[in-house]
Amino acid sequence: MSELFPDYRPSWETDQHRELRKHAAEFFRKESVPHRERWSGQHMVDREFWNKAGAAGLLGLDLPEEFGGAGGDFGMQAVVQEELVYAHDNGFGFSVHSPIVSHYIHQYGSAEQRRKWLPGIIAGELVLAVAMTEPGTGSDLQAVRTTAIRDGDHYVVNGSKTFISNGTHCDLVVIVAKTDPAKGAAGVSLIVAETKDLAGFERGRVLEKMGQHAQDTRELFFSDMRVPVANLLGEQEGLGFYQLMEQLARERLIIASICSALAEAAVLEALRYSREREAFGRPIGKFQHNAFTLAEVKTEALAIKTLVDYAISQYVGGKNDPATASMAKLFAAETADKVVDKCLQLFGGYGYMMEYPIANMYTGSRVNRIYGGTSEIMKEIISRSL
């Protein structure tokens, strides 16, 4: 149940979702909140945290029960993601691992691949990453230069990737590579690399980001790295670009969920502070300008929430519509960034101090307008549907 909007209930949210929300909130309160500062300093969450999240049943919730999942829907992923944001945790790479990459394996993996990997993914024993972005390519996945050339029963992989979330802990990496460089998009394939003791696999430096300091974002390098042909996702080579496009709605909806929760969390922090902080003999929230600002951001937070929930309800109902998902991400990312900025202003100088959650929200929110496809790309996708 929303603290800011206690009477609000998404159309897709069942009693099971609400129970999950309570469970996730309690788990993050106990297992995440006490460690936030330390994780930020070490640029990663503890590896054991993944196992704890798996044991708590918070990973792969919409994956089949036969592999250890809950057999639920995308709404379950959104619920856990929202509670993670409400706990002010932006280091745990849940969004990449559970709602996004696990479904590349579930949707396109063979029966053998699913049996081999999904139980460990759901238990938190195998941490997932996806290696898409390369230096110089950005969002243009057709232009990737990483190659995977077949040599007998193996692919020989060469190339580099950047901005890889879960880059420190990842046990499995879904690599976007050219199996036939001459074919452009039709030559792109998805190949799963098992990183333990893998010759030719190197984790590069931890990237110094403006925000999300507790997240282990790294560069990855592949030098004559041999990966079994059996690790190809899909029945044949050249399907990778289309597999990526089919799953983008999930990625954009989970980012939209992050933004929705972020806006709500920022407004709650601003409301609390404006009631406690006094200036000129009264709480700062009593000044008309500040009261009007709070009215604006609460309204904007609800607008984000309703659009995102509409898009999720469409997806849960079986409609995988890139335009609707792009609208949700575009509006949520752009508006949440403005909401957080307005809320920070109410804190004055304290809003600039990283010990205050609002400062972490501010530095962390900006990336939502970039990753998963920039706002400009979202507009392009939406315009094609007009």
Side-chain angles (χ1 to χ4, degrees):
M1 185 171 68
S2 168
E3 184 178 349
L4 188 61
F5 306 107
D7 297 325
Y8 179 91
R9 184 165 184 169
S11 61
W12 52 264
E13 189 179 72
T14 65
D15 290 342
Q16 188 178 13
H17 289 113
R18 289 202 161 191
E19 288 303 312
L20 173 62
R21 187 179 294 281
K22 294 176 185 176
H23 172 59
E26 181 64 13
F27 174 82
F28 292 130
R29 185 187 68 79
K30 289 182 177 179
E31 302 293 346
S32 171
V33 172
H35 307 293
R36 284 199 313 250
E37 186 175 345
R38 179 171 58 82
W39 288 348
S40 181
Q42 68 188 27
H43 296 295
M44 61 180 177
V45 303
D46 296 335
R47 178 61 183 82
E48 295 75 16
F49 187 68
W50 284 98
N51 301 84
K52 290 180 179 180
L58 297 178
L59 302 177
L61 285 157
D62 56 348
L63 295 175
E65 294 180 20
E66 65 180 293
F67 302 115
D73 58 25
F74 181 81
M76 288 187 166
Q77 301 276 18
V79 162
V80 175
Q81 182 62 72
E82 289 170 3
E83 292 304 321
L84 188 64
V85 174
Y86 295 148
H88 305 308
D89 183 330
N90 59 19
F92 182 40
F94 169 86
S95 62
V96 171
H97 174 98
S98 194
I100 301 173
V101 186
S102 69
H103 279 266
Y104 289 124
I105 294 172
H106 176 240
Q107 290 293 115
Y108 309 118
S110 65
E112 182 180 350
Q113 288 171 337
R114 291 195 292 269
R115 284 194 300 269
K116 181 180 180 182
W117 292 323
L118 286 180
I121 290 167
I122 294 166
E125 296 168 0
L126 297 175
V127 177
L128 293 173
V130 58
M132 292 189 196
T133 306
E134 297 179 0
T137 63
S139 299
D140 186 4
L141 298 177
Q142 300 180 66
V144 297
R145 295 188 294 271
T146 296
T147 58
I149 306 303
R150 185 162 181 169
D151 179 25
D153 293 334
H154 287 79
Y155 290 111
V156 179
V157 183
N158 284 283
S160 63
K161 300 288 183 177
T162 193
F163 308 147
I164 308 303
S165 300
N166 297 338
T168 298
H169 291 315
C170 60
D171 303 289
L172 300 177
V173 182
V174 176
I175 301 172
V176 180
K178 291 278 183 68
T179 45
D180 189 340
K183 290 185 177 179
V188 174
S189 299
L190 302 186
I191 299 167
V192 181
E194 299 167 279
T195 64
K196 185 177 180 181
D197 300 323
L198 181 58
F201 173 77
E202 181 183 353
R203 303 177 201 265
R205 65 191 176 100
V206 176
L207 300 172
E208 290 289 341
K209 305 186 298 298
M210 180 170 69
Q212 299 184 343
H213 297 140
Q215 194 171 104
D216 56 335
T217 310
R218 301 183 84 118
E219 298 170 318
L220 298 180
F221 300 97
F222 320 122
S223 178
D224 291 333
M225 185 179 78
R226 299 181 69 84
V227 178
V229 170
N231 287 15
L232 173 73
L233 289 182
E235 297 180 356
Q236 63 189 53
E237 295 178 357
L239 300 177
F241 185 77
Y242 309 101
Q243 292 165 340
L244 290 166
M245 294 303 102
E246 191 174 33
Q247 294 298 316
L248 278 176
R250 291 183 66 89
E251 181 175 359
R252 287 162 184 169
L253 286 176
I254 205 65
I255 295 171
S257 294
I258 291 171
C259 297
S260 176
L262 186 66
E264 184 172 349
V267 174
L268 287 169
E269 289 295 312
L271 283 169
R272 293 185 189 110
Y273 187 78
S274 66
R275 291 163 182 160
E276 297 168 0
R277 177 80 164 108
E278 292 192 355
F280 307 104
R282 56 176 170 159
I284 62 170
K286 295 295 184 181
F287 290 93
Q288 187 181 64
H289 180 274
N290 293 343
F292 282 5
T293 297
L294 290 166
E296 287 176 2
V297 294
K298 184 174 181 180
T299 302
E300 288 163 340
L302 182 57
I304 296 170
K305 198 173 187 68
T306 53
L307 176 56
V308 172
D309 286 336
Y310 169 77
I312 290 175
S313 70
Q314 294 287 96
Y315 187 81
V316 169
K319 189 175 182 180
N320 186 356
D321 178 21
T324 301
S326 297
M327 284 190 280
K329 181 186 182 294
L330 172 66
F331 183 76
E334 292 287 331
T335 310
D337 208 29
K338 296 173 184 175
V339 166
V340 174
D341 183 72
K342 292 176 187 177
C343 290
L344 183 143
Q345 189 70 15
L346 294 169
F347 285 74
Y350 290 105
Y352 205 62
M353 301 295 108
M354 293 304 291
E355 64 192 84
Y356 280 74
I358 194 67
N360 280 288
M361 293 182 202
Y362 181 81
T363 57
S365 69
R366 184 60 177 83
V367 75
N368 293 315
R369 294 162 59 188
I370 298 172
Y371 70 178
T374 64
S375 291
E376 291 71 27
I377 291 174
M378 297 303 100
K379 294 174 186 178
E380 178 68 23
I381 292 169
I382 297 163
S383 68
R384 292 175 183 174
S385 70
L386 300 177

